[in-house]
């Protein structure tokens, strides 16, 4: 929905629709005792979790198919930050692939809006307040603004799909 609203060509919108659900595929290389840990991760455990982006990038590396190239960029870079303090490469601003900037927003929204093994979901109002603090630091400000404009549409879609 965000790619459509941003004016992407339909072929790229379709590729994003297929590629984005695979953003965390690299977690297959992270031990379950870390993924399912109900407590705060140690620094060493967090370093292991961070490897999921490079593992995911390697899974899709070298493909000539546009959708799989996009899946590579998303898997590898969806934890980069607009200010360059993300991982794995410390990319910043427009160096972060555009599809990864969109997935970063939706991924954070989803992560905070749903129960996790280590905490309960936050109410939507709190999620959006927390995310607002990341505009221009964590998130691309233009895509963040588009995301916020679209929250009512996302809410309606989720209510309709159950």
């Amino acid at each position: 929905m965000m790619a459509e609203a941003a004016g992407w060509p339909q072929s790229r919108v379709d590729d994003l629709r297929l590629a984005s659900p695979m953003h965390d595929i690299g977690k297959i290389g992270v031990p379950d005792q870390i993924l399912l840990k109900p407590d705060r991760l140690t620094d060493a455990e967090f370093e292991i979790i961070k490897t999921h982006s490079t593992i995911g990038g390697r899974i899709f590396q070298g493909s000539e198919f546009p959708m799989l190239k996009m899946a590579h960029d998303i898997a590898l870079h969806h934890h980069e930050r607009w200010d360059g303090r993300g991982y794995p490469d410390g990319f910043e601003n427009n160096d972060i692939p555009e599809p990864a900037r969109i997935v970063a927003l939706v991924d954070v929204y989803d992560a905070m809006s749903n129960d996790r093994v280590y905490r309960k979901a936050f109410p939507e109002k709190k999620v959006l307040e927390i995310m607002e603090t990341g505009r221009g630091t964590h998130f691309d400000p233009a895509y963040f603004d588009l995301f916020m404009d679209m929250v009512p549409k996302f809410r309606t879609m989720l209510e309709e799909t159950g």
Side-chain angles (χ1 to χ4, degrees), residues 5-154:
W8 286 22
Q10 191 60 48
S11 63
R12 285 194 78 213
V13 170
D14 294 342
D15 285 347
L16 182 63
R17 184 175 288 114
L18 295 171
S20 61
M22 298 184 279
H23 71 281
D24 276 339
I25 195 167
K27 286 185 177 178
I28 63 170
V30 176
D32 283 349
Q33 67 263 27
I34 294 174
L35 288 176
L36 302 175
K37 185 177 178 181
D39 301 313
R40 184 175 178 87
L41 297 177
T42 65
D43 290 344
E45 289 167 334
F46 186 64
E47 289 303 313
I48 292 169
I49 282 281
K50 287 171 36 176
T51 65
H52 84 277
S53 60
T54 53
I55 294 168
R58 282 196 307 267
I59 289 170
F60 297 115
Q61 190 170 11
S63 177
E64 293 302 316
F65 293 102
M67 186 276 292
L68 294 177
K69 286 181 178 182
M70 185 181 287
H72 167 269
D73 288 348
I74 292 169
L76 186 59
H77 297 296
H78 71 282
H79 286 291
E80 302 288 1
R81 291 175 46 113
W82 190 249
D83 63 9
R85 294 186 299 137
Y87 63 88
D89 296 317
F91 282 6
E92 63 182 315
N93 301 327
N94 291 325
D95 291 338
I96 305 166
E98 202 171 10
R101 287 184 260 153
I102 290 174
V103 171
L105 277 159
V106 178
D107 188 38
V108 169
Y109 178 82
D110 177 68
M112 289 193 292
S113 298
N114 291 288
D115 291 342
R116 296 293 190 240
V117 295
Y118 51 88
R119 64 148 177 77
K120 290 286 190 190
F122 295 128
E124 184 184 59
K125 182 178 179 185
K126 182 174 181 176
V127 170
L128 297 175
E129 288 171 358
I130 293 169
M131 289 181 70
E132 176 72 36
T133 67
R135 183 189 184 279
T137 55
H138 191 147
F139 307 115
D140 174 330
Y143 273 116
F144 180 81
D145 293 345
L146 179 61
F147 173 85
M148 292 300 288
D149 289 345
M150 296 189 70
V151 167
K153 291 179 184 176
F154 298 146

